[in-house]
Amino acid sequence: MYDTGKIMTGLAAVLVMLTLPFWYSAATGKAVEKHDPVLPKTEKKCVESRQYMRDSHMDLLNRWRDAVVREDRHTYVSQDGTRYEMSLTNTCMKCHVERAQFCDKCHTYMGESPFCWDCHLDRKGVL
Amino acid sequence: MNAFLSLVAVLAVMLAAYVGTGVLDAKFLFGTVLPYAAIATFLIGFIYRIVDWAKSPVPFRIPTTCGQQKSLEWIKSDRLDNPHDTIGVIGRMALEVLCFRSLFRDTKMERHEEATVVYGPGLWLWIGALAFHYSFLVVFVRHLRFFTEPVPYVAVLLQRVDGFFQVGVPPVMASNLFLLAALAFLFARRLWSPQLRYISLASDYFPLFLLIGIAGTGVLLRHFVRTDIVNVKEMAMGLVSFKPAIPKGVHWFFFLHLTLVATLIAYFPFSKLMHAGGVFLSPTRNLANNNRMVRHVNPWNAPVKVHTYEEYEDDFRDKMKAAGLPVEKE
Ligand code: HEM
């Protein structure tokens, strides 16, 4: 008894499952679409360097939050000496006005859903 | 010694990845060639192993019977531990694959006082294995966010549930804690018990160290060595759509993670990790115990040339009649 039929069916199912991302990207055709967030037009630079922001903006926000909420410190001095008020709504969102085109766009691409907007507002008063 | 060898091997892989991407900038090699080579090795190797196993015939039913066999109507049979039909086998296999029932049965033998042997349940391996496999599955599914666009809802949902406790930014994933704890336990277990240490081979330690390395670098990537994971996703999407792109601005530390994963994937078909496919092909589990209900004929029995009585009579009918012997057909 060899059960070739059953084994080959199982093998095919497993192989399709394991290579699912390949089929998925072929089916949606969205694999290499660009997902660049829309940058602010009037401003030239962010709080820190662009690469640092891309890598670690969540870490920066976390430190800001701890500083404000736990230590009552409100001013952040960046690497190049510029001073910023440590605030999600008042600072980040002042420049990055279009949240949907900036933060959300990138987060959706990465399957992230930060829960900050449960409480914090963007500049348009949207949670 | 075995453990030490495996550790050196894993560290060598990491060192190669560091030199290749941190010092030499061979990102095409480590970001494109290596992943594709690993995936190809995995697919070909996996198919080869399964086909090889499928070629071994199973002429007779040899399930391990751990309960009452099906016989008379009024004797209660154990459908799961001595299945007599396909439904029973499916139930048995499902419990085996999803709940690791054989590991649950693990027993521990200890000598108490003078020559007294005591048997008891040994559940730790079962618990450790369950914790490891399920947290690995969760991590695996969550990683789909790097390989799919749009990201399927299950991956997003799983991520939210996993980060339910909202500790830290980005949130700590509960599955990562379980994964690391389970791997640490599965490793410590081998060192702890002298018997286990004695039978542990380098090929037992190597996958463990690889997995510890992968989970360790992954957790470090998430919480301590931040890198531009949007570019990581662009690289991954390039791989799955066969338009590979070399990522810009990605820290070399990410390549330690990726190279260890590639090593694991390529190593998979040649190692004990093939138990993932093998468990489905275990004849002691996946066969119904119906030896007494169905006649199983060995398919490669040499054809025996038989000469039936009817043929014999045909050959000698005249002579038999002449000798006055009774014949069946006139
Ligand atoms: C056997 C397969 C793999 C395992 C077990 C694994 C394991 C892990 C673990 C435990 C983490 C910690 C954080 C988290 O769970 O999100 C992680 C993070 C990460 N992994 Fe993997 N990984 C695997 C494959 C890959 C592959 C193929 C890539 C390439 C795209 C990758 C890229 C990453 C990145 C970029 C992070 C950091 C995530 C973040 O910053 O949130 N991993 N990995």
Side-chain angles (χ1 to χ4, degrees):
Chain A
M1 198 188 71
Y2 287 92
D3 275 340
T4 313
K6 280 186 211 158
I7 297 177
M8 291 307 143
T9 316
L11 180 62
V14 167
L15 290 180
V16 168
M17 233 156 68
L18 287 177
T19 49
L20 212 53
F22 291 93
W23 309 113
Y24 190 83
S25 94
T28 60
K30 289 190 175 167
V32 283
E33 247 173 45
K34 278 288 161 205
H35 291 266
D36 292 333
V38 180
L39 298 175
K41 298 201 173 52
T42 48
E43 301 290 338
K44 280 277 154 309
K45 64 184 181 62
C46 197
V47 176
E48 295 288 358
S49 78
R50 184 169 179 185
Q51 192 59 54
Y52 179 84
M53 292 312 284
R54 280 181 73 108
D55 295 353
S56 307
H57 61 277
M58 58 309 273
D59 192 39
L60 182 76
L61 279 169
N62 197 25
R63 280 184 278 125
W64 280 18
R65 173 173 63 175
D66 288 355
V68 171
V69 178
R70 301 197 181 144
E71 296 162 32
D72 197 24
R73 288 191 288 115
H74 292 266
T75 312
Y76 176 80
V77 185
S78 72
Q79 289 289 317
D80 65 2
T82 322
R83 292 170 165 266
Y84 293 93
E85 183 201 350
M86 288 194 262
S87 169
L88 177 54
T89 308
N90 295 338
T91 308
C92 308
M93 303 323 285
K94 189 179 78 205
C95 293
H96 300 294
V97 187
E98 291 287 342
R99 189 181 108 204
Q101 292 302 312
F102 187 72
C103 318
D104 294 356
K105 194 165 181 198
C106 202
H107 292 156
T108 310
Y109 178 58
M110 293 305 295
E112 284 288 334
S113 44
F115 50 86
C116 319
W117 316 109
D118 291 0
C119 305
H120 288 268
L121 295 172
D122 63 19
R123 297 296 279 194
K124 295 174 175 167
V126 180
L127 279 173
Chain B
M1 190 60 201
N2 285 337
F4 183 71
L5 274 180
S6 309
L7 183 63
V8 170
V10 171
L11 289 179
V13 171
M14 293 170 82
L15 184 69
Y18 167 68
V19 173
T21 55
V23 182
L24 295 178
D25 203 37
K27 291 198 170 144
F28 179 68
L29 178 63
F30 282 87
T32 307
V33 179
L34 211 61
Y36 275 139
I39 294 171
T41 312
F42 174 86
L43 291 179
I44 295 171
F46 194 88
I47 294 173
Y48 175 81
R49 289 295 298 266
I50 297 287
V51 169
D52 190 35
W53 281 330
K55 279 188 190 153
S56 318
V58 183
F60 197 57
R61 299 303 176 100
I62 52 166
T64 341
T65 54
C66 316
Q68 173 62 50
Q69 181 177 194
K70 165 100 176 149
S71 56
L72 296 171
E73 212 44 60
W74 45 271
I75 299 178
K76 201 167 164 241
S77 77
D78 194 334
R79 199 126 188 231
L80 286 174
D81 282 325
N82 198 336
H84 64 271
D85 59 3
T86 309
I87 295 176
V89 167
I90 290 176
R92 187 183 209 193
M93 285 303 288
L95 283 172
E96 185 66 45
V97 171
L98 300 175
C99 308
F100 309 165
R101 202 145 169 263
S102 303
L103 285 188
F104 182 75
R105 291 228 166 97
D106 193 15
T107 49
K108 197 173 56 188
M109 187 185 76
E110 269 171 11
R111 253 184 77 171
H112 280 221
E113 283 135 35
E114 280 301 297
T116 315
V117 171
V118 176
Y119 295 90
L123 289 184
W124 283 106
L125 175 60
W126 177 67
I127 293 170
L130 272 182
F132 163 71
H133 283 88
Y134 277 100
S135 42
F136 185 94
L137 178 67
V138 170
V139 170
F140 198 83
V141 173
R142 276 201 289 102
H143 270 65
L144 280 181
R145 70 185 171 128
F146 294 118
F147 299 97
T148 51
E149 172 58 29
V151 180
Y153 187 64
V154 274
V156 178
L157 187 68
L158 199 58
Q159 179 141 314
R160 277 192 218 155
V161 174
D162 211 349
F164 177 76
F165 293 103
Q166 303 191 338
V167 180
V169 179
V172 173
M173 299 278 132
S175 60
N176 292 345
L177 302 182
F178 280 114
L179 184 63
L180 285 176
L183 284 169
F185 166 74
L186 291 174
F187 171 57
R189 190 182 78 94
R190 286 192 182 273
L191 290 189
W192 189 263
S193 141
Q195 294 98 310
L196 254 179
R197 195 163 60 227
Y198 182 68
I199 60 166
S200 293
L201 307 172
S203 61
D204 291 318
Y205 290 112
F206 184 62
L208 264 177
F209 283 135
L210 267 183
L211 284 161
I212 292 172
I214 291 169
T217 49
V219 167
L220 286 174
L221 270 175
R222 185 172 176 88
H223 298 290
F224 300 100
V225 194
R226 295 267 1 142
T227 186
D228 193 339
I229 66 172
V230 180
N231 282 348
V232 168
K233 172 154 187 178
E234 275 167 13
M235 183 204 82
M237 292 309 294
L239 287 178
V240 296
S241 60
F242 297 107
K243 297 188 184 76
I246 298 160
K248 333 166 268 313
V250 175
H251 200 280
W252 57 262
F253 195 82
F254 163 73
F255 288 95
L256 297 193
H257 190 62
L258 189 67
T259 309
L260 287 172
V261 171
T263 311
L264 182 76
I265 292 176
Y267 175 66
F268 196 98
F270 307 101
S271 67
K272 67 174 201 169
L273 300 174
M274 269 310 284
H275 71 273
V279 65
F280 292 96
L281 302 185
S282 320
T284 54
R285 289 288 175 285
N286 68 11
L287 294 175
N289 180 19
N290 58 5
N291 286 327
R292 294 189 176 178
M293 302 179 197
V294 183
R295 178 155 183 243
H296 298 281
V297 179
N298 192 348
W300 72 91
N301 274 349
V304 178
K305 201 170 174 324
V306 288
H307 196 227
T308 59
Y309 178 72
E310 283 78 11
E311 286 161 348
Y312 171 86
E313 214 180 75
D314 289 346
D315 290 348
F316 298 106
R317 187 167 291 112
D318 300 337
K319 294 194 172 74
M320 287 170 79
K321 276 185 178 164
L325 291 172
V327 288
E328 298 207 329
K329 229 160 49 180
E330 281 307 324

